[in-house]
Short mmCIF file of all heavy atoms in Angstrom, two decimals:
data_model
loop_
_atom_site.label_atom_id
_atom_site.label_comp_id
_atom_site.label_asym_id
_atom_site.label_seq_id
_atom_site.Cartn_x
_atom_site.Cartn_y
_atom_site.Cartn_z
N ASN A 13 12.23 -36.83 -13.92
CA ASN A 13 12.96 -36.25 -15.05
C ASN A 13 14.38 -35.87 -14.64
O ASN A 13 15.32 -35.97 -15.44
CB ASN A 13 12.21 -35.02 -15.57
CG ASN A 13 12.90 -34.40 -16.77
OD1 ASN A 13 12.92 -34.97 -17.85
ND2 ASN A 13 13.46 -33.20 -16.58
N PRO A 30 7.66 -48.36 -4.99
CA PRO A 30 6.33 -48.74 -5.49
C PRO A 30 5.32 -47.60 -5.39
O PRO A 30 4.52 -47.39 -6.32
CB PRO A 30 5.94 -49.91 -4.59
CG PRO A 30 7.25 -50.50 -4.16
CD PRO A 30 8.16 -49.33 -3.99
N ARG A 34 3.40 -45.80 -8.52
CA ARG A 34 1.93 -45.68 -8.60
C ARG A 34 1.50 -44.24 -8.83
O ARG A 34 0.53 -43.97 -9.55
CB ARG A 34 1.30 -46.22 -7.31
CG ARG A 34 1.32 -47.74 -7.20
CD ARG A 34 0.37 -48.22 -6.11
NE ARG A 34 0.77 -47.72 -4.79
CZ ARG A 34 1.62 -48.37 -3.98
NH1 ARG A 34 2.17 -49.52 -4.37
NH2 ARG A 34 1.92 -47.88 -2.80
N SER A 35 2.22 -43.29 -8.24
CA SER A 35 1.88 -41.88 -8.43
C SER A 35 2.09 -41.46 -9.89
O SER A 35 1.24 -40.77 -10.46
CB SER A 35 2.75 -41.02 -7.50
OG SER A 35 2.43 -39.65 -7.67
N LEU A 47 3.57 -40.84 -20.28
CA LEU A 47 4.40 -39.65 -20.07
C LEU A 47 5.89 -39.97 -20.02
O LEU A 47 6.71 -39.07 -20.21
CB LEU A 47 4.00 -38.95 -18.76
CG LEU A 47 2.53 -38.51 -18.66
CD1 LEU A 47 2.27 -37.86 -17.30
CD2 LEU A 47 2.18 -37.55 -19.79
N ASP A 49 8.98 -42.62 -21.39
CA ASP A 49 9.41 -43.66 -22.32
C ASP A 49 10.22 -44.69 -21.53
O ASP A 49 11.43 -44.54 -21.35
CB ASP A 49 10.24 -43.04 -23.43
CG ASP A 49 10.66 -44.07 -24.48
OD1 ASP A 49 10.30 -45.25 -24.32
OD2 ASP A 49 11.34 -43.68 -25.45
N GLY A 51 11.03 -47.62 -22.38
CA GLY A 51 11.94 -48.38 -23.21
C GLY A 51 13.29 -47.70 -23.35
O GLY A 51 14.26 -48.30 -23.81
N LEU A 55 14.90 -43.13 -19.26
CA LEU A 55 13.52 -42.78 -18.86
C LEU A 55 13.16 -41.34 -19.24
O LEU A 55 12.68 -40.57 -18.42
CB LEU A 55 13.35 -42.98 -17.34
CG LEU A 55 13.45 -44.43 -16.83
CD1 LEU A 55 13.28 -44.45 -15.31
CD2 LEU A 55 12.38 -45.31 -17.48
N GLN A 73 6.75 -24.00 -9.31
CA GLN A 73 7.44 -22.76 -8.98
C GLN A 73 6.45 -21.68 -8.56
O GLN A 73 6.67 -20.94 -7.60
CB GLN A 73 8.26 -22.28 -10.18
CG GLN A 73 9.07 -21.01 -9.89
CD GLN A 73 9.85 -20.53 -11.11
OE1 GLN A 73 9.46 -20.80 -12.25
NE2 GLN A 73 10.94 -19.83 -10.88
N ALA A 75 3.52 -22.12 -7.21
CA ALA A 75 3.00 -22.45 -5.88
C ALA A 75 3.97 -22.05 -4.80
O ALA A 75 3.57 -21.54 -3.73
CB ALA A 75 2.69 -23.95 -5.81
N LEU A 93 12.74 -7.77 2.57
CA LEU A 93 12.35 -6.37 2.44
C LEU A 93 13.42 -5.66 1.61
O LEU A 93 14.61 -5.76 1.90
CB LEU A 93 12.24 -5.71 3.82
CG LEU A 93 12.13 -4.18 3.83
CD1 LEU A 93 10.84 -3.73 3.15
CD2 LEU A 93 12.22 -3.65 5.25
N ALA A 153 3.79 16.53 -5.57
CA ALA A 153 2.68 16.89 -6.46
C ALA A 153 2.40 15.83 -7.52
O ALA A 153 1.50 16.00 -8.34
CB ALA A 153 2.96 18.24 -7.14
N THR A 163 11.66 14.68 9.39
CA THR A 163 12.25 15.95 9.81
C THR A 163 13.19 16.47 8.71
O THR A 163 14.05 15.72 8.23
CB THR A 163 13.05 15.77 11.10
OG1 THR A 163 12.19 15.21 12.09
CG2 THR A 163 13.60 17.08 11.59
N ARG A 165 16.35 18.09 6.92
CA ARG A 165 17.78 18.09 7.27
C ARG A 165 18.42 19.39 6.76
O ARG A 165 18.23 19.77 5.61
CB ARG A 165 18.49 16.90 6.63
CG ARG A 165 18.61 15.66 7.49
CD ARG A 165 17.31 15.12 7.99
NE ARG A 165 17.50 13.93 8.82
CZ ARG A 165 16.51 13.28 9.40
NH1 ARG A 165 15.26 13.71 9.26
NH2 ARG A 165 16.75 12.23 10.16
N LEU A 177 39.36 30.48 1.11
CA LEU A 177 38.18 31.29 1.41
C LEU A 177 38.11 31.71 2.88
O LEU A 177 37.50 32.73 3.22
CB LEU A 177 36.90 30.52 1.03
CG LEU A 177 36.52 30.49 -0.45
CD1 LEU A 177 35.23 29.71 -0.65
CD2 LEU A 177 36.37 31.90 -1.01
N LEU A 183 31.95 36.45 2.79
CA LEU A 183 31.84 35.60 1.61
C LEU A 183 30.47 35.73 0.97
O LEU A 183 29.45 35.85 1.67
CB LEU A 183 32.07 34.13 1.99
CG LEU A 183 33.41 33.76 2.60
CD1 LEU A 183 33.39 32.31 3.07
CD2 LEU A 183 34.53 33.98 1.62
N ILE A 198 21.95 17.44 -6.38
CA ILE A 198 21.23 18.55 -5.74
C ILE A 198 19.83 18.67 -6.36
O ILE A 198 19.69 18.67 -7.58
CB ILE A 198 21.98 19.88 -5.93
CG1 ILE A 198 23.43 19.77 -5.46
CG2 ILE A 198 21.28 21.01 -5.21
CD1 ILE A 198 24.26 21.00 -5.74
N PRO A 199 18.78 18.79 -5.53
CA PRO A 199 17.45 19.03 -6.10
C PRO A 199 17.45 20.29 -6.96
O PRO A 199 18.14 21.27 -6.63
CB PRO A 199 16.57 19.21 -4.85
CG PRO A 199 17.28 18.44 -3.78
CD PRO A 199 18.75 18.63 -4.07
N LEU A 209 21.32 33.43 -7.01
CA LEU A 209 21.97 34.32 -6.05
C LEU A 209 23.33 34.79 -6.54
O LEU A 209 23.85 35.81 -6.10
CB LEU A 209 22.13 33.62 -4.70
CG LEU A 209 20.86 33.47 -3.85
CD1 LEU A 209 21.12 32.57 -2.65
CD2 LEU A 209 20.36 34.84 -3.38
N GLY A 211 24.00 35.26 -9.86
CA GLY A 211 23.86 35.83 -11.20
C GLY A 211 24.01 34.83 -12.32
O GLY A 211 24.31 35.19 -13.46
N VAL A 231 37.13 16.72 -0.16
CA VAL A 231 37.17 18.07 0.40
C VAL A 231 38.39 18.26 1.29
O VAL A 231 39.05 19.31 1.27
CB VAL A 231 35.86 18.38 1.16
CG1 VAL A 231 35.98 19.69 1.93
CG2 VAL A 231 34.69 18.43 0.20
N SER A 268 14.43 26.64 1.92
CA SER A 268 14.63 25.93 0.66
C SER A 268 16.00 25.27 0.56
O SER A 268 16.23 24.44 -0.31
CB SER A 268 14.43 26.88 -0.52
OG SER A 268 15.31 27.98 -0.43
N ALA A 303 14.29 14.55 19.15
CA ALA A 303 14.12 14.82 20.58
C ALA A 303 15.47 14.96 21.27
O ALA A 303 15.66 15.84 22.11
CB ALA A 303 13.31 13.70 21.22
#
Side-chain angles (χ1 to χ4, degrees):
N13 182 69
R34 286 195 297 271
S35 180
L47 302 178
D49 183 0
L55 294 179
Q73 183 182 26
L93 168 64
T163 304
R165 267 57 181 179
L177 281 181
L183 300 173
I198 306 174
L209 285 171
V231 171
S268 57

